[in-house]
Amino acid sequence: MTGRLNSGQPYVLGLFRIVVGLLFACHGAASLFGVLGGMNGATVEAGTWPGWYAAVIQLVGGSLVLLGLGTRAAALVSSGSMAYAYFHVHQPGALWPIQNGGEASAMFCWTMLLLVFTGSGAFGLDRLFAARGERAEEAQPERATVAA
């Protein structure tokens, strides 16, 4: 049973990454554009600290994670953004996330941190480009080194 589960791990991780990236990008889109029912149609004013910058990180980082393009770097920046959101916005209100409304920030922080260490899994553009690069290296003939 463990062997079967392990063989599906890259695919489940890829689906996990896609769902997390989509949800994170939607959160940013809702803040920036007032779409998807977020913020009751209101938007974050452009350039305001930290809300607008956080929303841009959410939209861009979430989109990159969704596509599996630069997953580790995008997830690291996104995780840091959510850690900042939790500790500077939510945590001063109360100790526990359920009390201070920081559940989403805490969950996104830890989820993105997990993706930093696991990578994109299956279905990611990272893997596609890596495979393409390996084929290009294999297609080139070996060159002998010349000693002077």
Side-chain angles (χ1 to χ4, degrees):
M1 174 106 171
T2 302
R4 272 172 124 173
L5 292 174
N6 287 344
S7 68
Q9 187 175 0
Y11 305 105
V12 173
L13 183 59
L15 292 172
F16 174 78
R17 173 190 49 78
I18 289 167
V19 169
V20 168
L22 178 64
L23 292 174
F24 202 60
C26 286
H27 197 72
S31 299
L32 287 173
F33 308 119
V35 296
L36 306 170
M39 297 183 56
N40 297 320
T43 61
V44 177
E45 190 175 330
T48 58
W49 177 258
W52 184 81
Y53 294 94
V56 169
I57 290 171
Q58 290 164 10
L59 181 61
V60 173
S63 298
L64 290 172
V65 167
L66 169 67
L67 296 172
L69 186 60
T71 302
R72 292 177 190 254
L76 181 66
V77 172
S78 298
S79 178
S81 170
M82 290 295 98
Y84 179 89
Y86 182 76
F87 287 110
H88 288 278
V89 177
H90 297 287
Q91 201 278 327
L95 178 62
W96 297 103
I98 194 74
Q99 295 173 320
N100 62 32
E103 299 101 328
S105 296
M107 288 295 291
F108 276 126
C109 177
W110 285 104
T111 302
M112 291 296 188
L113 187 63
L114 178 66
L115 289 172
V116 170
F117 289 94
T118 61
S120 62
F123 317 120
L125 292 179
D126 285 344
R127 194 172 270 208
L128 177 70
F129 291 142
R132 200 177 274 175
E134 289 171 6
R135 282 185 294 210
E137 287 177 10
E138 290 172 3
Q140 291 180 353
E142 284 190 42
R143 295 182 182 166
T145 57
V146 177

